[in-house]
Amino acid sequence: MTTVSTSTEFPGPVKWVDDRLGIAKIGKKNLRKIFPDHWSFMLGEIALYSFIILILTGTFLTFWFKPSMAEVEYQGSYSLLKGLHMSEAYASTLDITFDVRGGLLMRQIHHWAAVLFIAAMMVHLLRMFFTGAFRKPRELNWLIGFGMLFLGIVEGFIGYGLPDDLLSGTGLRITNGMIQASPVVGTYMNFFIFGGEFPGDDFVSRFFIVHVLLIPGIILALVTAHLFLVVYHKHTQYAGPGRTQKNVVGYPLFPVYTAKAGGFFFVVFGITALMGALMQINPVWLYGPYNPAEVTAGAQPDWYMGWLEGSVRIFPGFESTFWGITLSWNLIIPALIVPPAFVTLVALYPFIEGWITGDKREHHLLDRPRDVPTRTGIGVAFITFYAMLWIGGGNDLIATHFNLSLNHVTWFLRFAVILGPILGFWIARRWAISLQRADHDRLMHGLETGVIMRSPEGKYTEKHQPISTYEAYSITARDRLVPHEIGPETDENGVRAPRRALNKARAALSRFYFADAVQKPTAQELEEAHEHAHDADEIHELTEDTETYREVTSDRS
């Protein structure tokens, strides 16, 4: 028996590291791990690569940005602002833009990467929602992903406010009003964040620490935990031949996905760089330094903050006074109650659905949205609610661009934000059910061929062609939907079951959740349908042999 020395297996430095860390054993186990392949899985990769781009470009920008509210006189290259008094933060942003080589490009890549980062996380979470990728055992990963999205939005908003320009200052002024509307603690929170009366002297330095150190560190930890859980739980996959709840069909991490991931990273980086070079974003030199007495006409925040501003804009203005304390309901409800309630509802949805359906099994195969109509309808309702608020954030621009009354646009959105989700839920749910019925017909009867057959008895039937095995497997790779049952009112000892009212509510919600959904056919139903199709084929062959078969055409006179 021949032995091979490990010294010939690895170069010297690699062997040195392997002797101390055991990387060969770790690599042998994990680098050959199998991952499924589907285009939608790249959405999470786009978010990850955008985060890496943010770290790289953000590191570059920190070398020249000065997080200070100290007042200076600008003497840089941009002549239109020369001699104007401004904060050191804004002056350093102008210096990065006009006097640092590649500074404007890096600023714009950084801003576009932030926009892409949040957009990719949102779409990735929507993909997880509509395919049921949040179910057991991945509820924790859903919460981690949702936490990353929330932190990404906060990080983007804080970074947007760092330059201390007029546009970002306007957004901070709105935020300041929302904070002060918080009962009891609003004033204290405002002084803690801004270091005094708005705009204060310390908010840029405090925002800077949170922006470059605190939140990126938390997001990095969450990304690490998220990837660890993906490997530990194994990646979800779409239904198909050979794919079950207990296996993964795909390609190994090394060398297939390692090469694909490396190439895709440079694709994302290249596209982001092109956007930064060719598409202007956040031209702070056009806005000027922030002045509390001024505001930019048509000011709009970055798109991911539009829904929060829209919630405030379309809510009716009213307030109440109790014992000398004024409560501004036009800020408390749309800014401090509705958004947190909406975010909490979406974050806890996996647990709500699991409680309603009573489904405690592990799921590694993804659902098609049509196979769970109620969940699909709920998702569309969430999107519609978000979209109506988001449109409300630009109600002034909609009114001016389309020559409409601002009041009419606002009142329309006040009704649409309530009725729109209901209508969206109903349409999406019925649409999904109709697609289920179409799948059921194809599965049971096959595809229409347009060939009409006539039996010896004179009966006309259309010949159907069976669907492919792959499609049939994909359609039937789902569970039969069984609503939760209440159970008997008393146990075998005659004792009344506890939480009876709660169980009744759960059963009613479960019946609503599964109502009208088309069940997967049983094996017996499939067998009977196939026997019927076989009989039709035999009639076809018989009529051909007796020369009584003919195709019925539409050109008969």
Side-chain angles (χ1 to χ4, degrees):
M1 175 179 176
T2 1
T3 59
V4 181
S5 170
T6 55
S7 61
T8 61
E9 296 178 2
F10 297 114
V14 178
K15 181 181 181 301
W16 187 90
V17 175
D18 180 48
D19 290 341
R20 287 153 181 80
L21 301 178
I23 59 172
K25 185 178 180 181
I26 298 174
K28 182 179 180 181
K29 179 181 179 181
N30 294 294
L31 291 180
R32 298 297 296 173
K33 191 171 182 67
I34 301 300
F35 285 89
D37 192 29
H38 193 269
W39 68 266
S40 65
F41 298 154
M42 73 177 181
L43 297 170
E45 295 182 53
I46 294 175
L48 175 62
Y49 301 152
S50 301
F51 181 64
I52 295 173
I53 296 169
L54 283 169
I55 293 176
L56 296 175
T57 54
T59 302
F60 176 91
L61 296 174
T62 55
F63 290 134
W64 286 276
F65 181 73
K66 297 177 181 178
S68 171
M69 287 292 289
E71 186 174 303
V72 297
E73 182 179 332
Y74 179 68
Q75 294 296 334
S77 302
Y78 191 62
S79 59
L80 295 179
L81 296 178
K82 187 168 291 188
L84 196 65
H85 288 267
M86 60 185 65
S87 67
E88 202 167 8
Y90 185 64
S92 64
T93 304
L94 294 177
D95 290 338
I96 293 172
T97 302
F98 297 109
D99 297 314
V100 174
R101 188 180 297 273
L104 177 59
L105 177 63
M106 286 297 177
R107 273 195 61 241
Q108 300 211 143
I109 291 177
H110 189 74
H111 205 128
W112 278 119
V115 170
L116 188 62
F117 176 55
I118 297 172
M121 283 195 294
M122 280 190 175
V123 180
H124 180 57
L125 286 170
L126 285 175
R127 196 275 301 173
M128 291 181 63
F129 181 90
F130 284 109
T131 59
F134 55 78
R135 293 171 296 174
K136 184 181 179 181
R138 297 177 179 81
E139 301 96 333
L140 181 58
N141 232 357
W142 169 266
L143 293 177
I144 289 174
F146 212 79
M148 285 192 289
L149 175 60
F150 175 76
L151 289 174
I153 292 174
V154 174
E155 174 79 341
F157 177 73
I158 291 176
Y160 162 82
L162 283 177
D164 193 36
D165 60 282
L166 184 57
L167 182 61
S168 66
T170 302
L172 287 175
R173 184 57 168 168
I174 297 172
T175 306
N176 166 251
M178 296 178 184
I179 294 172
Q180 287 185 318
S182 304
V184 182
V185 299
T187 304
Y188 299 98
M189 291 175 60
N190 181 73
F191 271 73
F192 174 75
I193 293 173
F194 295 101
E197 288 288 349
F198 182 84
D201 298 324
D202 299 326
F203 86 89
V204 170
S205 57
R206 294 179 181 181
F207 278 22
F208 184 74
I209 294 172
V210 173
H211 183 73
V212 305
L213 182 63
L214 183 60
I215 294 182
I218 297 174
I219 292 178
L220 187 59
L222 292 177
V223 167
T224 305
H226 175 73
L227 295 177
F228 171 78
L229 289 176
V230 168
V231 173
Y232 178 73
H233 291 144
K234 74 185 181 184
H235 204 293
T236 54
Q237 58 185 344
Y238 288 92
R243 301 173 187 176
T244 68
Q245 300 283 5
K246 298 182 179 180
N247 70 354
V248 177
V249 178
Y251 301 98
L253 177 63
F254 183 85
V256 177
Y257 277 105
T258 306
K260 290 177 68 175
F264 192 47
F265 168 74
F266 287 108
V267 169
V268 174
F269 205 151
I271 292 176
T272 310
L274 281 174
M275 292 170 67
L278 303 177
M279 302 168 65
Q280 180 176 272
I281 187 170
N282 197 27
V284 295
W285 59 91
L286 298 180
Y287 308 139
Y290 179 64
N291 184 337
E294 299 174 356
V295 65
T296 303
Q300 297 291 311
D302 277 339
W303 68 271
Y304 47 83
M305 296 300 299
W307 74 290
L308 179 58
E309 183 166 336
S311 178
V312 174
R313 286 192 184 192
I314 68 175
F315 199 84
F318 67 96
E319 58 187 29
S320 304
T321 303
F322 300 97
W323 303 290
I325 299 175
T326 300
L327 297 179
S328 301
W329 299 109
N330 57 321
L331 285 176
I332 292 176
I333 295 177
L336 304 179
I337 295 179
V338 172
F342 176 69
V343 169
T344 302
L345 176 63
V346 177
L348 296 181
Y349 181 83
F351 306 96
I352 298 172
E353 181 182 293
W355 178 76
I356 292 174
T357 61
D359 187 0
K360 305 299 180 184
R361 298 164 299 171
E362 288 195 2
H363 294 274
H364 302 289
L365 287 179
L366 297 172
D367 290 328
R368 297 185 306 166
R370 69 183 65 181
D371 291 334
V372 193
T374 301
R375 182 202 298 152
T376 301
I378 292 172
V380 172
F382 286 157
I383 294 173
T384 306
F385 179 77
Y386 178 91
M388 293 300 103
L389 294 182
W390 185 74
I391 293 172
N395 59 349
D396 56 338
L397 296 183
I398 293 174
T400 55
H401 279 67
F402 294 96
N403 196 26
L404 300 172
S405 166
L406 178 61
N407 287 334
H408 291 167
V409 173
T410 303
W411 273 102
F412 170 80
L413 291 171
R414 286 172 180 171
F415 285 98
V417 78
I418 298 172
L419 301 179
I422 299 173
L423 184 61
F425 169 82
W426 183 81
I427 292 175
R429 189 166 178 270
R430 298 311 306 176
W431 197 340
I433 291 173
S434 68
L435 290 173
Q436 276 190 321
R437 290 173 177 168
D439 284 346
H440 186 272
D441 289 342
R442 288 206 311 275
L443 183 64
M444 301 295 286
H445 306 296
L447 300 173
E448 297 178 355
T449 62
V451 177
I452 306 300
M453 301 177 296
R454 181 182 179 185
S455 68
E457 295 81 15
K459 179 181 179 181
Y460 291 98
T461 57
E462 182 180 11
K463 180 176 174 60
H464 284 69
Q465 179 181 355
I467 60 177
S468 67
T469 305
Y470 185 94
E471 185 181 3
Y473 190 96
S474 300
I475 292 175
T476 56
R478 59 188 178 96
D479 301 318
R480 293 181 66 84
L481 307 176
V482 181
H484 172 72
E485 298 295 338
I486 302 178
E489 290 193 13
T490 59
D491 59 16
E492 61 276 7
N493 299 319
V495 178
R496 184 177 176 82
R499 299 189 295 273
R500 186 69 181 172
L502 185 63
N503 283 331
K504 285 184 178 180
R506 179 184 178 187
L509 289 171
S510 183
R511 288 193 298 271
F512 170 77
Y513 189 89
F514 294 123
D516 298 331
V518 179
Q519 295 284 9
K520 182 176 76 171
T522 62
Q524 183 179 357
E525 290 172 342
L526 280 173
E527 186 177 352
E528 290 175 356
H530 292 164
E531 287 178 357
H532 177 74
H534 181 67
D535 293 343
D537 288 342
E538 286 184 347
I539 293 173
H540 182 195
E541 293 171 2
L542 177 64
T543 53
E544 278 187 329
D545 292 341
T546 57
E547 296 183 355
T548 57
Y549 166 79
R550 64 177 177 178
E551 292 184 4
V552 179
T553 58
S554 58
D555 55 352
R556 292 179 300 179
S557 57

